[in-house]
Amino acid sequence: MYKEIERTALMLKTSRNTVVVTGAGISTEAGIPDFRGENGIYRRLGEDKVMEIINKDCFNSNPDHFYLFYRQNFQSYAEIQPSHAHFALAELEERGLVKAIVTQNIDGLHQKAGSRRVYSIHGSADRYYCTNRSCQQGYDQEYVDSYPLTVPCCETCDAILKPDVVLFGEPIKNYYDAVHAISGAHLLVVIGSSLTVYPLAGFVRDYCNSNQDLIIINKGRTEMDYAATLKVDTNRTGDFLNQVLDRL
Ligand code: NAD
């Protein structure tokens, strides 16, 4: 691993514009399972079932069914602390070595660790908003947890609340910022993503056509391993990034 640490440090030092892309794998060390791993929801319940319920059509047509499943299977992240990897990325930004993070995660751990420029393309699980367009009042997890019925409603207009996360069938958030950040990078570092979820995987694929450097830090294979300048296969991402920091 020594060579990979040295090489990553050197590439970070010499890059003029480094952007980081993160997926569920960066948060497993914080205690949040990914979807595709051993304890992941796709393994336990099947990808089709999850996609059928965590879906905008299901939310619109059968909010009871949606919320019953959502409340049982999607934890609140309020009590969870960032991992060493999240803190290391915040430190890299602080030192001017990382310009932005584009994340698929909905756990808010990058922001909690102190990263400032974070584009969360799938939204945030701890926020909710009223679906009445003329109201759109925001709510936190505490309000939803203490709501007496399965489907939480707005205290002002009584319309249904929606989690501020991107459901299957919905467009991503921060699209232009994410594309702009990734396409303008001179070094892209992907951490903890199998790169199978679109459109982000497509952004990374397009980046690879520009012949710039790509580092992938992931346990197991990803869809873009063939294009990586450096592939680091580890699930001790926090340790790895801390050792990189020590060499900068
Ligand atoms: P994924 O499940 O497709 O891939 C995660 C990858 O991370 C896997 O290849 C896994 O082997 C690897 N991994 C696991 N632990 C690791 C570690 N400690 N270090 C390095 N690699 C590790 O995840 P994805 O590509 O992000 O896509 C799943 C979707 O699920 C995303 O869209 C995301 O929005 C959502 N999701 C979010 C969270 C979260 O917010 N924490 C958690 C689960 C799923």
Side-chain angles (χ1 to χ4, degrees), residues 22-30 32-37 40-42 74-75 77 85-86 103-109 121-123 125 166 168 191-198 200 217-222 232-238:
T22 64
I26 198 171
S27 294
T28 55
E29 287 183 292
I32 303 172
D34 58 18
F35 278 3
R36 291 179 172 77
I41 194 170
Y42 286 165
F74 289 82
Q75 64 196 112
Y77 302 121
H86 293 100
T103 187
Q104 292 184 315
N105 294 342
I106 54 175
D107 54 35
L109 292 182
I121 61 171
H122 291 169
V166 173
F168 290 104
I191 305 176
S193 174
S194 56
L195 292 176
T196 48
V197 179
Y198 280 76
L200 186 67
I217 305 168
N218 194 66
K219 182 70 204 150
R221 67 174 291 278
T222 82
V232 182
D233 197 324
T234 182
N235 59 3
R236 306 195 48 169
T237 306

Side-chain angles (χ1 to χ4, degrees), residues 7-239:
R7 229 177 135 198
T8 304
L10 184 65
M11 286 165 85
L12 282 168
K13 254 192 253 179
T14 51
S15 156
R16 277 178 294 136
N17 182 1
T18 299
V19 171
V20 176
V21 163
T22 64
I26 198 171
S27 294
T28 55
E29 287 183 292
I32 303 172
D34 58 18
F35 278 3
R36 291 179 172 77
E38 250 172 58
N39 304 317
I41 194 170
Y42 286 165
R43 289 274 183 97
R44 287 188 287 115
L45 304 174
E47 190 164 348
D48 288 351
K49 180 169 180 187
V50 178
M51 287 175 82
E52 192 188 301
I53 302 176
I54 303 303
N55 187 296
K56 80 171 184 352
D57 294 334
C58 179
F59 177 82
N60 290 330
S61 63
N62 195 344
D64 274 290
H65 187 47
F66 172 89
Y67 264 111
L68 206 57
F69 185 84
Y70 190 81
R71 283 178 182 274
Q72 273 169 6
N73 293 292
F74 289 82
Q75 64 196 112
S76 159
Y77 302 121
E79 304 295 323
I80 295 181
Q81 294 310 311
S83 67
H84 290 302
H86 293 100
F87 285 117
L89 290 182
E91 174 72 25
L92 285 170
E93 184 184 9
E94 183 68 28
R95 293 196 201 177
L97 294 169
V98 161
K99 290 280 185 293
I101 296 173
V102 177
T103 187
Q104 292 184 315
N105 294 342
I106 54 175
D107 54 35
L109 292 182
H110 287 303
Q111 293 88 338
K112 237 188 213 178
S115 289
R116 288 187 299 269
R117 188 166 295 166
V118 182
Y119 303 123
S120 300
I121 61 171
H122 291 169
S124 168
D126 286 328
R127 288 197 307 254
Y128 294 76
Y129 63 90
C130 174
T131 50
N132 175 357
R133 276 171 197 266
S134 57
C135 175
Q136 295 193 335
Q137 192 171 319
Y139 289 89
D140 59 16
Q141 188 68 45
E142 208 180 330
Y143 177 86
V144 172
D145 285 346
S146 60
Y147 199 81
L149 304 173
T150 306
V151 179
C153 293
C154 178
E155 61 185 358
T156 309
C157 70
D158 211 30
I160 290 173
L161 304 189
K162 182 181 176 296
D164 196 13
V165 297
V166 173
L167 305 179
F168 290 104
E170 289 183 323
I172 62 164
K173 296 172 189 282
N174 300 308
Y175 178 95
Y176 290 105
D177 287 330
V179 170
H180 184 71
I182 292 172
S183 62
H186 293 145
L187 168 62
L188 193 69
V189 184
V190 174
I191 305 176
S193 174
S194 56
L195 292 176
T196 48
V197 179
Y198 280 76
L200 186 67
F203 302 161
V204 175
R205 195 174 289 267
D206 290 345
Y207 169 84
C208 291
N209 292 332
S210 68
N211 265 334
Q212 306 277 7
D213 282 332
L214 171 70
I215 300 177
I216 297 179
I217 305 168
N218 194 66
K219 182 70 204 150
R221 67 174 291 278
T222 82
E223 293 296 311
M224 299 301 291
D225 285 353
Y226 68 89
T229 321
L230 175 65
K231 167 74 193 287
V232 182
D233 197 324
T234 182
N235 59 3
R236 306 195 48 169
T237 306
D239 268 2

